Amino acid sequence: MKELGKNSSVLPAEGIAQYIQDVRLRKITGSLKLATKTLQLLMDLVSKTSWTTAEELLSLIRIQGRFLAEALPHDIVVANTIRRVMKIVREEYDSSRVVHFDDGQSILSLHKLVTQAADPERDDYSKPMPGLKNALVDHLSEIATELETTGDSISAQAAEHIHSAELIMTIGYSRAVEKFLRKAAETRPIEVVVVECAPDCRGQQLAANLGRAKIQTTLISDAAIFAIMSRINKIIIGTHSVLANGGLQAVCGTYSLALSAKHFSVPVIVLAPTYKLTPVHLCNYGQGDFNILGNTEAVLPFKSLAARFTKAYNPLFDYVPPELVTLFVTNNGSNAPSYIYRLIGELYHPDDSQL
C-alpha cells in the first residue's frame, strides 16, 4: 500500500485540491469545520469511488490522506480525521468477517480475544466483503452526527466542573470555552478573567462576547497572569491539539499560564473534543511542523528604527507538558492526562500513525 502512495502520477481526488486551497486562503477556519469537511470528502471517496476490497480502500484513503496531511501539516485535525476513518474501515471489515465466518456471532469469545493477535486473517484486508460499502457509509454518517453534537456534549458537562461564585481564568479565544462558560452561567453566578493573549489579543473578542451574555468579565494583559493567579479558583482553556503523551499544542502564552497555575495549585481543565487527540509525539521543540511563526508587525513595527537591527519572532503555539494539566473534558467524558493514550488507542489503529 505504501509503495502505491509514492507513485507521483497519482493525483488528488475531486474536491481535495480545492479544499486545500480554501484552507490556505483561510476560507475555512476552525477545527470543527476542518474535521467536518475532511470527513465529508472521505465519505464521498468511500461512496463514489470504485473499489472491491478493504485493502484497496485503505490504499486509496492513505494516498489522498497523504496529500492533505502534507499540504496542511499544521491542521492536525485533518490527519486525525483521516486516521479515524481508516480505523473505521478496519473495524467494519473485521466485524463483517466475524459475522460472515463465525455463524453470525459478532461478539468474540474470551478465548478469541486472547488469541486474536495470532489470527492469520486478522490483518488481511484483501478479501471482498459484501455490504462493506453500505456499512461504512452508515458508520461515517454517525461520526458526522457526533461531530455536530461535540460542542453541546462538552458544554453539557459545565455544571460538573464550575461551581457557584467561582473565579475562572481563560486565555485567548476558544469557541468551546465560550460555550462552556455560557452554559455554566445559565444556572449559577460566575466571574471570568480573560487573558488577552498578545500580540493578536484574541482574548478581547471572548471578553466582549461574555460581557454581552451578562457574565462578569475582566480582561487582563499577559504580564498580569502571575499577579492575579492567587485569586483564581480554576483555569479552563481550549487547545489546538492534544499529543499522544497528553501534552498540549495550545495558543502561545498557555505554558506560562499553566506554570503559574502549578505554583498556586490551581487546577487546569482543558476542553478537547476527541477529533483533537492525535497519535503524534513532540520530538523536537524546534521542528517546523509543530509551530507557526505569525506576523511580527504587532510585536515590532516594520517601520521602526529597531526593526533594522532586530530579529522578531511571533510563534503561535506553546507546548504544555501533561504534568501541568489536571483534567481533559472531551465529548465522551472527563479523563486524566495519563488516560489519553487509551483514548487514542480506541480512536486510531497503530498502523495508521504514519500516513
Side-chain angles (χ1 to χ4, degrees):
M1 287 191 291
K2 294 182 179 179
E3 292 300 323
L4 183 59
K6 294 179 181 178
N7 190 347
S8 59
S9 64
V10 179
L11 298 175
E14 181 181 358
I16 288 183
Q18 183 61 44
Y19 172 53
I20 293 172
Q21 183 72 2
D22 290 343
V23 174
R24 287 178 171 176
L25 294 176
R26 313 306 294 171
K27 292 181 180 179
I28 302 176
T29 58
S31 298
L32 178 58
K33 291 182 180 179
L34 289 172
T36 303
K37 181 62 177 177
T38 304
L39 181 62
Q40 184 59 52
L41 288 172
L42 294 177
M43 287 177 67
D44 292 341
L45 197 67
V46 171
S47 60
K48 297 179 181 179
T49 308
S50 176
W51 51 272
T52 55
T53 65
E55 185 175 18
E56 291 180 15
L57 180 59
L58 286 171
S59 299
L60 187 63
I61 294 175
R62 188 181 299 276
I63 292 168
Q64 301 301 328
R66 191 171 293 142
F67 281 121
L68 286 168
E70 291 178 356
L72 306 170
H74 299 293
D75 296 306
I76 297 182
V77 294
V78 173
N80 291 345
T81 306
I82 296 165
R83 296 185 182 103
R84 180 90 183 268
V85 172
M86 294 180 73
K87 174 71 178 290
I88 290 171
V89 173
R90 297 175 191 274
E91 287 180 344
E92 288 295 338
Y93 178 85
D94 289 337
S95 177
S96 299
R97 185 174 63 86
V98 169
V99 171
H100 188 69
F101 294 105
D102 240 14
D103 298 326
Q105 297 179 0
S106 59
I107 301 176
L108 293 172
S109 66
L110 180 61
H111 174 71
K112 289 177 182 176
L113 287 173
V114 174
T115 60
Q116 62 184 355
D119 185 357
E121 295 185 354
R122 181 166 179 79
D123 293 325
D124 180 15
Y125 302 100
S126 59
K127 296 181 179 179
M129 197 64 62
L132 180 60
K133 178 175 285 191
N134 292 333
L136 283 173
V137 171
D138 291 341
H139 198 153
L140 293 178
S141 298
E142 294 176 6
I143 300 300
T145 304
E146 178 188 321
L147 287 178
E148 293 175 3
T149 60
T150 292
D152 294 332
S153 300
I154 292 178
S155 61
Q157 304 173 58
E160 302 174 14
H161 301 285
I162 299 179
H163 307 294
S164 182
E166 279 192 329
L167 185 59
I168 309 297
M169 178 179 280
T170 186
I171 184 171
Y173 178 77
S174 168
R175 293 183 181 89
V177 171
E178 180 183 348
K179 196 168 187 177
F180 195 82
L181 295 174
R182 282 173 175 263
K183 187 68 175 179
E186 291 178 359
T187 56
R188 62 206 63 192
I190 62 172
E191 185 177 348
V192 181
V193 175
V194 181
V195 182
E196 66 176 1
C197 195
D200 294 333
C201 298
R202 296 197 64 202
Q204 296 178 3
Q205 180 183 351
L206 177 60
N209 293 349
L210 294 178
R212 283 191 287 268
K214 308 300 182 183
I215 300 174
Q216 188 174 349
T217 308
T218 304
L219 182 68
I220 65 172
S221 67
D222 298 43
I225 291 176
F226 192 83
I228 202 174
M229 185 61 71
S230 59
R231 296 179 50 210
I232 302 298
N233 300 113
K234 207 164 288 177
I235 291 175
I236 298 177
I237 58 175
T239 182
H240 183 70
S241 64
V242 180
L243 305 183
N245 64 338
L248 306 180
Q249 183 186 14
V251 64
C252 194
T254 307
Y255 182 53
S256 58
L257 177 71
L259 283 176
S260 301
K262 183 178 182 181
H263 180 81
F264 288 99
S265 300
V266 178
V268 177
I269 298 176
V270 180
L271 307 184
T274 51
Y275 57 80
K276 290 189 177 184
L277 306 183
T278 180
V280 174
H281 291 269
L282 177 68
C283 301
N284 179 12
Y285 285 92
Q287 65 182 356
D289 284 347
F290 178 80
N291 222 325
I292 306 174
L293 295 180
N295 188 1
T296 59
E297 178 68 20
V299 180
L300 185 66
F302 181 74
K303 293 182 179 180
S304 66
L305 182 63
R308 302 180 184 180
F309 313 102
T310 309
K311 289 184 178 180
Y313 298 95
N314 179 23
L316 300 188
F317 299 121
D318 264 349
Y319 171 69
V320 181
E323 54 267 20
L324 299 181
V325 177
T326 307
L327 191 69
F328 285 99
V329 178
T330 71
N331 45 300
N332 295 329
S334 304
N335 302 101
S338 58
Y339 196 74
I340 291 298
Y341 81 96
R342 179 65 182 270
L343 296 179
I344 290 176
E346 294 173 356
L347 289 171
Y348 313 117
H349 193 277
D351 292 346
D352 302 330
S353 295
Q354 294 292 333
L355 292 177

